[in-house]
Amino acid sequence: MITLDNISKHFGNFTALSGIDLAVRDGEFLALLGPSGSGKTTLLRIIAGLAFPDEGRVSFNGEDVTDLKVADRKVGFVFQHYALFKHMSVVDNVGFGLSVRRRGQRPLKADIRARAHELLDLVQLGGLGERYPAQLSGGQRQRVALARALAVEPQLLLLDEPFGALDAKVRKELRRWLRQLHEQMGLTSIFVTHDQEEALELADRVVVMDKGKIEQIGTPEEVYMAPRSGFVSGFVGDINSLAVTVVDGKTRWHDRMIDIDPDGAADGPARLDFRPHDVALGAEGSGSLPMVVTSAYRKGGDWRVEGTVGGAARVIEVDLPADGPQPRAGQRLSLRIGRGRLFREDEEARR
């Protein structure tokens, strides 16, 4: 179990992390999700011992490891760009961490090679041990990097954008494989990503970060379906946003009321967020949203329809069943928002 208490980190006048509190459960697969500059990689490096906090404490199973170096923390680290030694064979790359241990802790050379070949079989690269990194594909090199991280028998596996340098098809294949490997080995794993799909597919829980702070912690379902802030709502998944006003317990958009319950929100300006799949075609009139189609294309089993609302330049995207005709540019649609979330403008401004 990993516990972070009030972790802060500064680089000159820039605050990379501010008062981070986080508990990672034993055997959990946790994602740190956020845009560039949100602090997620800095936090991962502090957990690893590759960087140290200015304030706060890092604990592994109740033991304070804040000042321990990476070599003393028993962590495996996988980087985005593999960091393999080009002049070493694959099997020697995998066994490197064991070969540089202190003399009293270093296994025999034969045992290191045996362990490396065992791990190559585990990551489905058996028989490629005598090749060099340049002779492997990007996906294969990333598997070698993972095998090397596992060779030192870590109690914690840390991955920093592990699939960021790979194409979409390979990323998808490796994501599925990594989840299976995590469950098979029973490790505690933490990975950094800015890819929302990756976080939602792989993680048991997602930590959404922005500007050095944690915005929300929850299961993929909680983060996607019940975002606690406008930032999380806008960052995780596709979203449409409209400026509305809460009036007497009802939601008003321009001159009409729309069928969204303010859920107790106080009167005043607000932002209505809804996802493309949260709408359906309906009859024109009170409670509906008028849309003029600008384009439509097939996305899976739906038409992804783009258009403007209320004659304004505001573009929204909605998903409509593809069993109907493809909407045409200039066509007028009447939309009913089945589900949405309101965020008060003044509350978001204070965040």
Side-chain angles (χ1 to χ4, degrees), residues 101-291:
R101 280 183 171 175
R102 298 183 183 91
R103 185 179 298 275
Q105 301 174 343
R106 189 187 311 152
L108 297 174
K109 288 185 178 180
D111 292 335
I112 293 175
R113 288 186 66 84
R115 174 62 174 161
H117 280 295
E118 177 185 324
L119 285 166
L120 287 173
D121 287 338
L122 180 67
V123 300
Q124 302 170 8
L125 292 177
L128 301 184
E130 302 310 319
R131 294 189 183 183
Y132 287 84
Q135 297 173 299
L136 303 180
S137 69
Q140 290 173 327
R141 288 198 291 270
Q142 193 57 286
R143 290 180 189 232
V144 173
L146 184 56
R148 181 180 60 186
L150 295 173
V152 296
E153 298 180 337
Q155 58 180 334
L156 176 63
L157 180 63
L158 305 176
L159 306 103
D160 187 9
E161 301 274 9
F163 308 132
L166 305 174
D167 65 56
K169 186 174 185 300
V170 175
R171 280 204 309 270
K172 193 170 185 66
E173 292 173 353
L174 284 185
R175 285 204 302 260
R176 187 181 304 114
W177 168 78
L178 178 60
R179 179 72 212 193
Q180 293 171 348
L181 185 66
H182 165 83
E183 293 174 353
Q184 178 181 345
M185 300 196 70
L187 288 171
T188 301
S189 304
I190 305 174
F191 75 103
V192 159
T193 183
H194 65 270
D195 186 322
Q196 306 144 29
E197 180 182 339
E198 189 168 277
L200 296 177
E201 179 182 340
L202 279 176
D204 297 315
R205 287 191 302 157
V206 179
V207 179
V208 184
M209 299 184 64
D210 184 41
K211 298 177 182 177
K213 296 182 179 180
I214 293 176
E215 288 281 335
Q216 185 171 349
I217 304 173
T219 65
E221 177 76 5
E222 290 168 343
V223 168
Y224 184 82
M225 297 300 293
R228 293 180 184 170
S229 72
F231 171 79
V232 177
S233 177
F235 186 74
V236 180
D238 296 336
I239 204 74
N240 297 300
S241 296
L242 294 177
V244 297
T245 306
V246 178
V247 181
D248 296 330
K250 296 182 178 180
T251 304
R252 179 187 293 276
W253 176 76
H254 290 285
D255 60 348
R256 67 175 67 194
M257 298 295 182
I258 54 178
D259 293 333
I260 291 293
D261 184 356
D263 195 22
D267 286 3
R271 189 181 98 193
L272 171 61
D273 284 2
F274 60 98
R275 302 196 184 279
H277 55 72
D278 287 332
V279 303
L281 293 177
E284 172 61 30
S286 177
S288 67
L289 193 69
M291 176 183 182

Side-chain angles (χ1 to χ4, degrees), residues 1-9 16-25 28 30-32 39 43 46-47 53 55-59 190 205-209 212-218 228:
M1 182 174 177
I2 315 302
T3 306
L4 307 178
D5 295 313
N6 196 35
I7 298 294
S8 294
K9 181 68 175 179
L17 297 171
S18 179
I20 297 293
D21 293 316
L22 178 64
V24 186
R25 301 161 186 162
E28 185 172 34
L30 188 83
L32 301 179
L43 186 60
I46 286 174
I47 294 171
E55 301 172 33
R57 187 178 70 168
V58 181
S59 301
I190 305 174
R205 287 191 302 157
V206 179
V207 179
V208 184
M209 299 184 64
K213 296 182 179 180
I214 293 176
E215 288 281 335
Q216 185 171 349
I217 304 173
R228 293 180 184 170

Side-chain angles (χ1 to χ4, degrees), residues 77-111:
F77 206 110
V78 180
F79 299 92
Q80 176 178 345
H81 294 289
Y82 325 127
L84 300 178
F85 297 109
K86 297 178 181 179
H87 66 286
M88 288 185 180
S89 67
V90 166
V91 71
D92 288 337
N93 264 284
V94 173
F96 178 76
L98 295 173
S99 68
V100 296
R101 280 183 171 175
R102 298 183 183 91
R103 185 179 298 275
Q105 301 174 343
R106 189 187 311 152
L108 297 174
K109 288 185 178 180
D111 292 335

Side-chain angles (χ1 to χ4, degrees), residues 327-346:
R328 307 178 307 277
Q331 183 177 349
R332 296 180 179 276
L333 302 176
S334 181
L335 307 174
R336 296 278 175 169
I337 303 174
R339 188 178 186 280
R341 291 184 70 84
L342 286 175
F343 299 97
R344 282 293 305 271
E345 287 188 351
D346 53 351

